[in-house]
Amino acid sequence: MTASAARPPPHLLDRLKALLGPEGWSEDAVELDAHLADWRGRERGFTPLLVKPASTGEVAALVQVCAEAGVAITPQGGNTGLVGGGLPRGEVLLSLKRLRRIRAVDPLDDSLIAEAGTPLVEVQQAAAAAGRLFPLSLGSEGVATIGGLCSTNAGGVAVLRYGMMRDLVLGLEVVLPDGRIWNGLRTLRKDNTGYDLKQLFLGAEGTLGVITAAALKLFARPAATETAVAALADLHASCELLALAKEMSGGGVTAFELLPQRAFDLVLKHIADTRTPFVQPPPWSVLIEVSFGRPEGGRAVLEAILAAALERGLISDAAIAHSLAQAGAFWKVRETLPLALRLEGLALAHDVSAPVSRMPDLIVMAQAEVARLAPGAPVVAFGHVGDGNAHINVGPAPGRELDPALAHAITDAIHAGATALGGSISAEHGIGAQKLAELPLRRSAVEIDLMRKLKHALDPKGVMNPNRIVSFHA
Amino acid sequence: MTASAARPPPHLLDRLKALLGPEGWSEDAVELDAHLADWRGRERGFTPLLVKPASTGEVAALVQVCAEAGVAITPQGGNTGLVGGGLPRGEVLLSLKRLRRIRAVDPLDDSLIAEAGTPLVEVQQAAAAAGRLFPLSLGSEGVATIGGLCSTNAGGVAVLRYGMMRDLVLGLEVVLPDGRIWNGLRTLRKDNTGYDLKQLFLGAEGTLGVITAAALKLFARPAATETAVAALADLHASCELLALAKEMSGGGVTAFELLPQRAFDLVLKHIADTRTPFVQPPPWSVLIEVSFGRPEGGRAVLEAILAAALERGLISDAAIAHSLAQAGAFWKVRETLPLALRLEGLALAHDVSAPVSRMPDLIVMAQAEVARLAPGAPVVAFGHVGDGNAHINVGPAPGRELDPALAHAITDAIHAGATALGGSISAEHGIGAQKLAELPLRRSAVEIDLMRKLKHALDPKGVMNPNRIVSFHA
């Protein structure tokens, strides 16, 4: 029995309700439903109480009450996570959704301060309104919140040029596991006064504290962006083409997404108003986006890249988008692919990474493992070549089922193979509850020990989102 | 009496000597001299023994021996630090200089693995030989080593575009305070499998472990770079000009350095073969470098930026470098300025930062404080506008002395002012031993407590570079 499963005493719940007022909590089944549903539909959370504080001070007060009573808390943002990190399993559920304010936008400082519950899209819009770019971009950006994106070190399609969420944060405001508030909302570009404390909380999935606000980096908007699709000679050509494109654009590549033939078939089948830029989609293709500091001349650079790639035999065909609408049509295939995969029933998903130069090997390995364990089972691998990050989706062989034991064996083999390539079993999605037990198999004993030391040092009572990332009592 | 000042027993020193062999240690006064000298000449280190391991395994073995005996260690790289972080005060002095190997360069992965003792310039050269860029650049790059640069989270002149050393590291190999080796030399761009352990050691000044190797990010080389100097209408125009240049180049600004009139006077006076691009140096000017992904057309962009700035009244004059030699001459003023300041005797240095939009206020504040405390004392402020980082140098008023009490009062006032502006008392240089006592005055009690918790969790015996950043026994 873990700390998180122990039901808090009624008087404690009453104390929380009194503290937060009638707007600040809920036991209503309808309201709770969206907070307890797992995006992938594999699990349902449960909680004795949903609390909805409206300020950092209220977060601090409720955390202090829980900490003193040894009652566990699970913080939640937009509930778009994929590993059960924000889904309560008996913990008090702390929704940050009412902390939804953009506190400051400073274009001269290229910074923006947003509260944890602000959806990503609102931050993107506020940056654009100030003539700036906040570059983080991912499928769930309308729902995912800044606090959750910080806590999970979110990735997405712009990592190649702008980095993960960790790279986009200048400062944080955090409620610590004992209820104290750390105000680290500095917007400094340079600050070497001791340990960089914000790094502790970024990507910690709420296990070391509750992020209540973040100071974010803004960027200049590129003067021009050009988009193309190219049919690769083979999978391994993807890395060489990426290197060529980076070199010939002086580092201007902003997206480089790998798509297999089946991606086009599935999207055409399941998603309305989609088109393929290829008469016959090739076995492997890439979507390339290059951004420039000058308004003119970018297309010539992209044409030169594609001509050089044709000459070197890296690609067999290519098409440059000649309008924003055409670029949008190219992107639509990539962006709707996860939905098409779900509709097709290729539901066994893997979020693995390897060094960029080993990403083709990662995919070949996964295909071989599936062929060995489940002959005939379809594999659709796509992802971010520039980040070495492949999303590998597996479905049942025609007329068969992917029963839990077989699914587990496939995942185990793919994860072991990724680890052997120097890779990661969770490139973007995190550990949460789902990969908690597996982590010690994939990371060294020294690493697990260091993680546990951090957890014990910052959350000695084990009240902050227990049994995510590291188990407390081991 | 601190742990670091206790002289280790002779039998322990003998054990270390036996462990490392005749090449692996020294008590020779001449050899020790370079390791014990402080670059600024304000302090001299002392040590019972200099150890010079040749491998990560040897580092681990000697750390284990010291840890078991409770004997303190100070790791040292190129000994170019400015805050006494790598200068022993009775600790065993661990030089990483013999770990000087580039283990791997992978252009397709855009990564390079270098051992801790490798000088920065050798990494820059290895990257260039592979057709890539390692962008970290600072005055001491011929001597400063990768381990020291990681441990101090080094900055320099390319931070605006490429970030600090922290942003350039993919993975680390670290010997922990108990002698275990953590192999975290992954080159992954995306890895969300638990806490990001490398962040603990970056910028920790050797207080949480000894960095023995680092996996570094490489970049595509820009296709073209254009350089200009511009005379600012006033100090506050610097931020607006930076924003304009970023906007009009689509984020292509790679350097933006502020120079006061006196910088030109001092460099012309003290440094041979220097020229000023201005007939009459203006009160404030900036050195601007913009890089482009296309070989042609960059100059037109820079011309357009300067024309727009003239029209808006942000600048009164500007000159674009028409050759590499001319660009080199512009840069020489900036690069030789620290030496000229030393030769002139403007020796009271401050390394402060503020939000980018407040950097002019930071300089005005420092000038006012000096005028108040030491009327007539010269102030030369220069620095990285894009990072909000000002280097503020103060000398004695003509015919006066800057006695220690007055120097302390000036520094205290400037640091208090920087803190009040939401800034930092150490933007690039770190805390080391020099600012140890001051840190609790400038960071909150919560922050000092968190730092102490980290130190105790990772180095419970307090043997790793004690009394730097946080004092152990407080």
Side-chain angles (χ1 to χ4, degrees), chain A residues 52 77 98 112 133 140 144 162 172 180 211 224 238 245-246 255 265 277-278 282 299 302 356 361 393 400 407 410 471:
Chain A
K52 307 180 287 177
R98 286 176 73 208
L112 179 155
L133 172 73
S140 58
Y162 296 99
L172 291 177
R180 286 181 300 169
I211 294 174
S238 58
K246 280 184 177 179
D265 305 341
F278 301 105
R299 188 153 307 167
L302 189 50
V356 173
D361 301 331
N393 292 265
R400 302 266 185 134
I410 290 171
S471 53

Side-chain angles (χ1 to χ4, degrees), chain A residues 198-450:
Chain A
K198 66 177 177 289
Q199 304 293 345
L200 291 169
F201 307 100
L202 294 164
E205 303 185 22
T207 62
L208 302 179
V210 185
I211 294 174
T212 51
L216 304 171
K217 286 183 199 171
L218 303 181
F219 293 80
R221 301 164 74 85
T225 296
E226 298 286 344
T227 309
V229 287
L232 293 171
D234 60 40
L235 178 57
H236 281 82
S238 58
C239 294
E240 283 167 74
L241 178 59
L242 172 63
L244 183 72
K246 280 184 177 179
E247 275 174 46
M248 290 184 66
S249 66
V253 180
T254 40
F256 199 93
E257 297 288 310
L258 180 75
L259 291 166
Q261 184 169 22
R262 253 193 105 129
F264 297 93
D265 305 341
L266 291 175
V267 165
L268 288 176
K269 177 175 167 189
H270 291 289
I271 313 287
D273 294 326
T274 45
R275 283 173 296 153
T276 158
F278 301 105
V279 179
Q280 172 62 42
W284 292 102
S285 59
V286 284
L287 173 64
I288 309 173
E289 188 187 88
V290 190
S291 297
F292 298 92
R294 295 198 49 206
E296 295 92 28
R299 188 153 307 167
V301 172
L302 189 50
E303 282 166 359
I305 292 168
L306 296 171
L310 268 168
E311 198 181 300
R312 295 188 196 186
L314 298 175
I315 64 174
S316 60
D317 190 12
I320 294 182
H322 285 279
S323 65
L324 278 179
Q326 210 174 357
F330 291 179
W331 269 107
K332 190 174 182 186
V333 176
R334 169 63 185 85
E335 284 167 350
T336 58
L337 181 56
L339 178 58
L341 285 164
R342 244 200 324 173
L343 294 171
E344 181 73 9
L346 273 83
L348 185 61
H350 305 87
D351 168 40
V352 287
S353 70
V356 173
S357 54
R358 306 302 299 276
M359 179 167 162
D361 301 331
L362 184 69
I363 292 173
V364 169
M365 173 279 296
Q367 289 169 327
E369 292 295 347
V370 174
R372 179 173 69 83
L373 292 164
V379 179
V380 176
F382 66 102
H384 322 286
V385 180
D387 317 326
N389 180 194
H391 297 293
I392 295 170
N393 292 265
V394 183
R400 302 266 185 134
E401 269 196 61
L402 214 55
D403 66 64
L406 181 57
H408 185 272
I410 290 171
T411 295
D412 191 60
I414 291 176
H415 285 182
T419 305
L421 284 166
S424 166
I425 63 162
S426 193
E428 300 188 307
H429 298 167
I431 298 303
Q434 194 185 298
K435 298 180 184 174
L436 174 74
E438 188 184 354
L439 194 62
L441 308 176
R442 309 302 177 198
R443 300 286 300 259
S444 68
V446 169
E447 290 172 332
I448 300 296
D449 178 59
L450 284 171

Side-chain angles (χ1 to χ4, degrees), chain B residues 123-177:
Chain B
V123 169
Q124 293 168 339
Q125 287 163 355
R132 296 290 183 270
L133 172 72
F134 184 68
L136 195 79
S137 176
L138 37 74
S140 59
E141 61 198 25
V143 182
T145 60
I146 292 303
L149 294 161
C150 286
S151 293
T152 58
N153 184 30
V157 295
V159 173
L160 170 56
R161 166 65 183 85
Y162 297 99
M164 307 275 285
M165 189 64 167
R166 181 184 301 279
D167 303 302
L168 304 175
V169 173
L170 294 166
L172 290 178
E173 180 186 82
V174 178
V175 172
L176 301 176

Side-chain angles (χ1 to χ4, degrees), chain A residues 106-110 131-132 152-157 159 161 164 166-167 176 178 180-184 186-197 199-205 207-208 217-218 220-223 239-240 242-243 246-252 292-298 300-301 353-357 384 386-389 391 422-431 439 442-455 457-458 460 468-470, chain B residues 106-110 131-132 152-157 159 161 164 166-167 176 178 180-184 186-197 199-205 207-208 217-218 220-223 239-240 242-243 246-252 292-298 300-301 353-358 384 386-389 391 422-431 439 442-455 457-458 460 468-470:
Chain A
D106 184 345
L108 279 188
D109 191 37
D110 271 344
R132 297 289 182 272
T152 58
N153 185 29
V157 294
V159 173
R161 167 65 183 85
M164 308 275 284
R166 182 184 300 279
D167 303 302
L176 301 177
D178 58 8
R180 286 181 300 169
I181 298 169
W182 171 49
N183 180 357
R186 281 176 287 267
T187 64
L188 303 177
R189 304 283 160 161
K190 280 185 177 168
D191 180 18
N192 273 344
T193 51
Y195 308 140
D196 189 1
L197 299 171
Q199 304 293 345
L200 291 169
F201 307 100
L202 294 164
E205 303 185 22
T207 62
L208 302 179
K217 286 183 199 171
L218 303 181
R221 301 164 74 85
C239 294
E240 283 167 74
L242 172 63
K246 280 184 177 179
E247 275 174 46
M248 290 184 66
S249 66
F292 298 92
R294 295 198 49 206
E296 295 92 28
V301 172
S353 70
V356 173
S357 54
H384 322 286
D387 317 326
N389 180 194
H391 297 293
S424 166
I425 63 162
S426 193
E428 300 188 307
H429 298 167
I431 298 303
L439 194 62
R442 309 302 177 198
R443 300 286 300 259
S444 68
V446 169
E447 290 172 332
I448 300 296
D449 178 59
L450 284 171
M451 290 188 209
R452 226 163 251 157
K453 281 195 163 73
L454 281 183
K455 174 71 175 173
L458 269 79
R468 276 77 171 182
I469 296 185
V470 283
Chain B
D106 184 343
L108 278 188
D109 191 35
D110 271 344
R132 296 290 183 270
T152 58
N153 184 30
V157 295
V159 173
R161 166 65 183 85
M164 307 275 285
R166 181 184 301 279
D167 303 302
L176 301 176
D178 57 8
R180 287 181 299 169
I181 297 169
W182 171 47
N183 181 357
R186 283 176 286 267
T187 65
L188 303 176
R189 304 282 161 162
K190 279 185 179 170
D191 179 20
N192 272 345
T193 52
Y195 308 140
D196 189 359
L197 299 172
Q199 303 294 344
L200 292 169
F201 306 101
L202 294 164
E205 303 186 20
T207 62
L208 301 179
K217 285 184 198 170
L218 302 182
R221 301 165 73 86
C239 293
E240 284 167 73
L242 171 65
K246 280 184 177 178
E247 276 175 45
M248 291 184 67
S249 66
F292 298 92
R294 295 197 51 205
E296 295 92 27
V301 173
S353 70
V356 172
S357 54
R358 305 303 299 276
H384 321 287
D387 316 326
N389 180 193
H391 296 293
S424 166
I425 63 162
S426 192
E428 301 189 304
H429 298 166
I431 298 302
L439 193 62
R442 309 301 177 197
R443 301 284 301 258
S444 69
V446 169
E447 291 172 332
I448 299 296
D449 177 59
L450 284 171
M451 292 190 208
R452 225 164 250 158
K453 280 195 164 74
L454 281 182
K455 173 70 176 174
L458 270 79
R468 275 78 171 179
I469 296 185
V470 284

Side-chain angles (χ1 to χ4, degrees), chain B residues 56-57 59-65 67-68 174-182 463-464:
Chain B
T56 302
V59 175
L62 82 86
V63 168
Q64 198 186 341
V65 167
E68 281 168 6
V174 178
V175 172
L176 301 176
D178 57 8
R180 287 181 299 169
I181 297 169
W182 171 47
V463 293
M464 287 308 311

Side-chain angles (χ1 to χ4, degrees), chain B residues 334 350-352 380-384 389-393 428-429:
Chain B
R334 169 64 185 83
H350 306 86
D351 168 41
V352 287
V380 176
F382 65 101
H384 321 287
N389 180 193
H391 296 293
I392 295 171
N393 293 264
E428 301 189 304
H429 298 166

Side-chain angles (χ1 to χ4, degrees), chain B residues 262 344-346 366-380 393-402 406 410:
Chain B
R262 254 195 103 131
E344 181 72 9
L346 274 83
Q367 288 171 327
E369 291 295 348
V370 174
R372 181 173 66 83
L373 293 164
V379 179
V380 176
N393 293 264
V394 183
R400 302 263 185 137
E401 269 196 60
L402 214 54
L406 181 57
I410 290 171

